[in-house]
Amino acid sequence: MKIETMVLRHLRMPLVAPFETSFGRIQERDCILITLQAGGLTGYGECVADRSPGYSYETCGTAWHILKDFIAPTLFGSALDSAGDFQARVAAIRGHHLAKAGVEMAIWDLIGKANGESLSELLGGVRTRVAVGVSVGIQPTVKALVETVGRFIESGYRRVKIKIKPGRDAADTAAVRGAFPDLALQVDANSAYTLETAGALQPLDELGLLLIEQPLAEDDLWDHRLLQEKFATAICLDESVTSARHARQAIEMKACRIINIKPARLGGLLEGVAVHDLCRRHGMPVWCGGMLETGVGRASNLALASLENFSLPGDISASERYFDRDITVQRFELNPDSTIDVPGGPGLGVEVDAEAVESFCIRTLSLPER
Ligand code: OSB
Ligand code: MG
């Protein structure tokens, strides 16, 4: 495949409800939609960097810069035929995984469309529907939290994750557990604690949680190990695992018992599969995380989650949980058994709604510039 053009579009999409985590609250989700043209085919990718550097140091602004000035120049001129080839070309760009992953996704979409194979097939998926849950942001009150969780259970979600932060941890989680004694429940702190303040989490160990996600700093595998020793509940790493190498170190160090795989954080689907394979060899369960993606990124997550060792429900919810209007024609719906179907069409298997894209677009750039 010879990539002829890359178009960047910075989108800003209203969420159906504000989403609050330990690092902030958003009402609109920003992302960069990446469109690649090659030999009459169009491939789409989503860069999930947000407006501010809360989850990651990357933002839409830094990703735009890296995409335009460093990644784009590696794409044009010679044939590019695999995700591995792409990763080799961008290997000298340190970090910026969210930017790289967006382009890698578009390359997979092109490859699938060129061969008539779905992304799930390309990656070695083994199922056509994947178990999913819902990630619930911090609510204004504990009462509102219990009501919100109740509504998601009523709409069919059988696994719920709640966001926590210092001051909104043990009491919030105990209230949800009290209201829903049998619910598959987990929490996510997004790095809001230190070993010194993590004592506040100790009561959570009695609440029968599936896991406690990323309590400590992203660059601190060792302190997660010290914390895991004090907890019967599994610690799950998200932000800390940015490569298969880190995943191996986390496993060897016993820093966690579960890993959340987000291809974006790992620089692409290829590294996501590598972490999946490594964890399978070590008997460590994984699940697919989410970044409030549009239908484009959601299709990619569903394909990845169709791999064998994704044995825990993913943070991949129905389209209506995120956006009234999405940028894909197809909307993802929750099945009665708390699963979502994996797209079966070529590549990502979704059709992009050009009008919707236009309506959310706040800047655009066509590369190469001429
Ligand atoms: O830490 O898992 C996280 C959303 C944005 C940034 C980080 C996270 C999240 C979520 C949402 O939890 C998961 C979803 O997409 O539904
Ligand atoms: Mg997380």
Side-chain angles (χ1 to χ4, degrees):
M1 287 185 320
K2 222 164 159 180
I3 294 173
E4 294 131 17
T5 62
M6 171 161 82
V7 178
L8 305 181
R9 289 187 179 87
H10 182 164
L11 308 184
R12 180 161 294 162
M13 299 168 59
L15 291 164
V16 293
F19 189 72
E20 184 174 337
T21 63
S22 63
F23 56 80
R25 178 186 166 94
I26 56 169
Q27 215 125 22
E28 303 164 306
R29 181 67 171 110
D30 286 33
C31 70
I32 300 172
L33 179 69
I34 296 160
T35 308
L36 299 179
Q37 296 286 351
L41 295 173
T42 305
Y44 294 99
E46 176 173 349
C47 169
V48 299
D50 206 348
R51 212 195 292 199
S52 49
Y55 172 79
S56 157
Y57 64 83
E58 291 181 77
T59 65
C60 289
T62 70
W64 193 272
H65 161 55
I66 296 295
L67 286 162
K68 166 179 178 278
D69 294 323
F70 297 100
I71 296 179
T74 71
L75 297 177
F76 310 119
S78 58
L80 197 163
D81 288 307
S82 68
D85 181 0
F86 166 70
Q87 289 296 343
R89 294 182 193 206
V90 297
I93 302 169
R94 189 185 300 275
H96 299 284
H97 285 186
L98 307 187
K100 291 176 184 173
V103 178
E104 205 207 88
M105 190 189 300
I107 290 169
W108 283 106
D109 192 26
L110 281 175
I111 294 170
K113 285 168 174 166
N115 302 340
E117 279 188 280
S118 71
L119 180 58
S120 171
E121 287 168 328
L122 289 173
L123 299 178
V126 297
R127 50 180 92 87
T128 55
R129 40 181 29 199
V130 304
V132 302
V134 62
S135 172
V136 179
I138 294 165
Q139 302 294 310
T141 62
V142 174
K143 185 166 175 280
L145 171 65
V146 172
E147 285 167 4
T148 304
V149 169
R151 274 196 297 278
F152 281 120
I153 295 171
E154 260 164 51
S155 50
Y157 291 101
R158 295 200 196 147
R159 190 232 70 187
V160 172
K161 159 170 135 181
I162 63 171
K163 293 289 191 178
I164 57 168
K165 66 177 182 181
R168 297 297 304 275
D169 40 37
D172 282 53
T173 314
V176 174
R177 175 48 85 221
F180 310 106
D182 302 323
L183 176 65
L185 179 65
Q186 60 194 60
V187 299
D188 187 359
N190 287 110
S191 300
Y193 297 84
T194 63
L195 215 43
E196 290 69 35
T197 61
L201 300 177
Q202 206 65 49
L204 271 62
D205 213 19
E206 310 299 321
L207 297 176
L209 303 179
L210 286 174
L211 57 90
I212 298 171
E213 184 176 346
Q214 197 68 41
L216 309 178
E218 65 173 73
D219 58 356
D220 212 341
L221 285 180
W222 181 251
D223 281 2
H224 277 102
R225 183 240 148 88
L226 296 178
L227 194 68
Q228 179 68 88
E229 281 181 340
K230 298 186 191 155
F231 278 75
T233 309
I235 302 277
C236 169
L237 292 177
D238 174 356
E239 287 92 323
S240 286
V241 176
T242 57
S243 66
R245 211 162 16 82
H246 271 81
R248 175 183 57 75
Q249 291 165 8
I251 293 168
E252 288 177 2
M253 240 185 249
K254 299 184 168 49
C256 63
R257 289 196 211 124
I258 296 173
I259 290 179
N260 163 336
I261 296 184
K262 286 182 185 170
R265 190 191 70 219
L266 293 159
L269 288 154
L270 206 56
E271 196 73 3
V273 173
V275 173
H276 163 274
D277 293 351
L278 173 95
C279 288
R280 190 184 46 193
R281 289 198 295 278
H282 286 85
M284 178 167 294
V286 303
W287 54 286
C288 183
M291 291 292 290
L292 308 175
E293 285 89 350
T294 72
V296 170
R298 192 164 347 283
S300 170
N301 284 344
L302 286 163
L304 183 65
S306 73
L307 272 65
E308 194 184 344
N309 191 43
F310 282 85
S311 53
L312 295 167
D315 271 352
I316 314 172
S317 307
S319 307
E320 65 169 19
R321 180 257 172 277
Y322 305 98
F323 308 108
D324 282 331
R325 188 180 189 194
D326 203 338
I327 60 166
T328 50
V329 171
Q330 155 189 17
R331 286 181 75 82
F332 293 97
E333 315 249 2
L334 188 69
N335 298 316
D337 60 350
S338 197
T339 63
I340 297 182
D341 295 347
V342 179
L348 291 171
V350 289
E351 192 187 330
V352 170
D353 176 346
E355 258 179 51
V357 168
E358 203 49 51
S359 75
F360 297 128
C361 188
I362 57 175
R363 63 174 160 157
T364 188
L365 178 68
S366 247
L367 297 160
E369 286 178 293
R370 55 189 108 225

